[in-house]
Amino acid sequence: MNDKKGMLGWFSKRKEEVVRMGSRSHGLVVQDAVTELNLALTAMGKGDQVNAMKCIERLMILEREADKIEDKLCADVSGGELSVQEREDLIHFIRKMDQIANWCKEGAIHIQLLKETNALVPEYIWLEIGKMSEELIPAVKHLVKIVENMDNASTETVRNIEAVYDQEKIVDGLYFSCIKQVHLSPMDPRAVMLVRELIFTLEMAADTCKNCADTLSILLVARRM
C-alpha cells in the first residue's frame, strides 16, 4: 500500500515537473509574441512598415506555436495524477496565458488593416500605443518567473504576482491616455475605429495577464493548505 502511494506521489511530482517546464516554454513563446507586437508598433511609429510587417509575420508564427504548446499542455494536465481542483486551475491558467498571444495576434491584425487601408495615424499616437505594449512585456516576464517557482510560494513569487498587478494598472492608465489622444487627434473615422480596437486588444492582454496571476495566486495558496 505504501509502495503504491509512493509510486502515485512520484508520478504526481513527475507530471508536475513536466507541466511546470511546459508552462515555462509556453510563457516564453507568449513573451516573444508580445515583444514582436511592441517591435511592430515601434516600427510603425517610425514609418517603417516593411519592418513592422516582418514583426507581424514572426508574431503569427509564435502565436501558432503557443497554440500547439497549449494543446499539449492541456492534454498532459488532463491525463495527470494532479488533484481535480489543481488540474482545473492549471488548465484555466494555460488557456488564459494563451489568450495573451491571441490578443497580440488581434492587435497585429489591426496594424495590418491600418497599413492596408492607408489609414493615417500620427506618429505620437503610435508612440502612445507602443508604450502600452512595452508595459505588457514585463507583465509576461513576471508570469514566467512565477511559473518557474510554482513549487515554492516564496516572497519573490508573491512580489512577482504583485508586479503583474502593478503592470496591469500602468497599462490601464495608458489606455485612458491613448483613447483621449485618439479622440483629440485629426484622424478620420476609419482610422479612429481601427486604432481604438488596437488599443482595446492591448488592454485586454493586460487584463488577461492579471487573470493569469490571480489563478497562480490561488494555486499557490491552495498548496500551502
Side-chain angles (χ1 to χ4, degrees):
M1 186 67 182
N2 286 338
D3 287 347
K4 188 178 178 183
K5 277 186 178 176
M7 186 65 76
L8 282 174
W10 182 83
F11 271 121
S12 176
K13 278 287 175 194
R14 188 171 178 276
K15 181 60 71 176
E16 193 174 296
E17 182 63 12
V18 169
V19 170
R20 191 170 64 82
M21 293 306 292
S23 297
R24 181 181 180 276
S25 301
H26 189 220
L28 290 174
V29 173
V30 172
Q31 183 183 310
D32 287 345
V34 174
T35 302
E36 290 296 345
L37 179 63
N38 176 250
L39 291 172
L41 287 165
T42 303
M44 289 299 281
K46 293 176 180 172
D48 187 354
Q49 293 189 351
V50 173
N51 201 28
M53 292 306 111
K54 286 179 182 173
C55 295
I56 286 174
E57 282 174 21
R58 291 195 293 269
L59 190 161
M60 294 300 185
I61 293 169
L62 289 164
E63 192 274 335
R64 287 195 291 274
E65 190 180 340
D67 277 348
K68 285 181 190 170
I69 300 175
E70 177 202 7
D71 290 342
K72 184 175 184 315
L73 263 175
C74 287
D76 285 343
V77 172
S78 300
E81 307 294 334
L82 302 165
S83 71
V84 174
Q85 188 58 56
E86 196 165 47
R87 192 182 305 155
E88 285 180 5
D89 288 341
L90 277 170
I91 290 175
H92 179 78
F93 166 72
I94 294 162
R95 299 274 190 222
K96 283 291 171 186
M97 193 75 173
D98 201 69
Q99 277 184 17
I100 300 170
N102 292 342
W103 283 118
C104 288
K105 184 180 80 172
E106 286 294 314
I109 288 169
H110 283 90
I111 296 173
Q112 257 181 325
L113 284 171
L114 283 160
K115 173 189 172 286
E116 289 175 15
T117 57
N118 295 316
L120 292 176
V121 180
E123 182 183 344
Y124 67 89
I125 296 286
W126 285 119
L127 291 175
E128 284 289 317
I129 304 170
K131 286 179 192 169
M132 284 184 77
S133 63
E134 199 175 330
E135 296 296 343
L136 275 175
I137 299 170
V140 179
K141 282 184 179 176
H142 286 301
L143 285 173
V144 172
K145 284 180 187 170
I146 300 165
V147 167
E148 287 171 344
N149 295 290
M150 269 175 72
D151 56 346
N152 178 20
S154 64
T155 306
E156 188 186 345
T157 303
V158 174
R159 260 203 304 270
N160 279 313
I161 291 172
E162 292 294 329
V164 176
Y165 296 156
D166 289 344
Q167 289 305 121
E168 190 265 341
K169 287 176 190 164
I170 292 171
V171 175
D172 261 0
L174 291 169
Y175 172 79
F176 175 74
S177 169
C178 280
I179 290 292
K180 189 170 79 173
Q181 293 285 351
V182 167
H183 286 286
L184 291 173
S185 75
M187 289 191 292
D188 66 42
R190 179 184 54 191
V192 168
M193 185 188 74
L194 289 171
V195 170
R196 273 180 58 98
E197 289 180 8
L198 171 58
I199 293 168
F200 176 73
T201 64
L202 295 171
E203 206 249 342
M204 288 305 296
D207 284 350
T208 309
C209 287
K210 181 183 176 295
N211 204 309
C212 287
D214 286 340
T215 305
L216 287 171
S217 182
I218 290 167
L219 270 165
L220 291 170
V221 169
R223 287 181 178 190
R224 285 181 189 161
M225 298 171 67

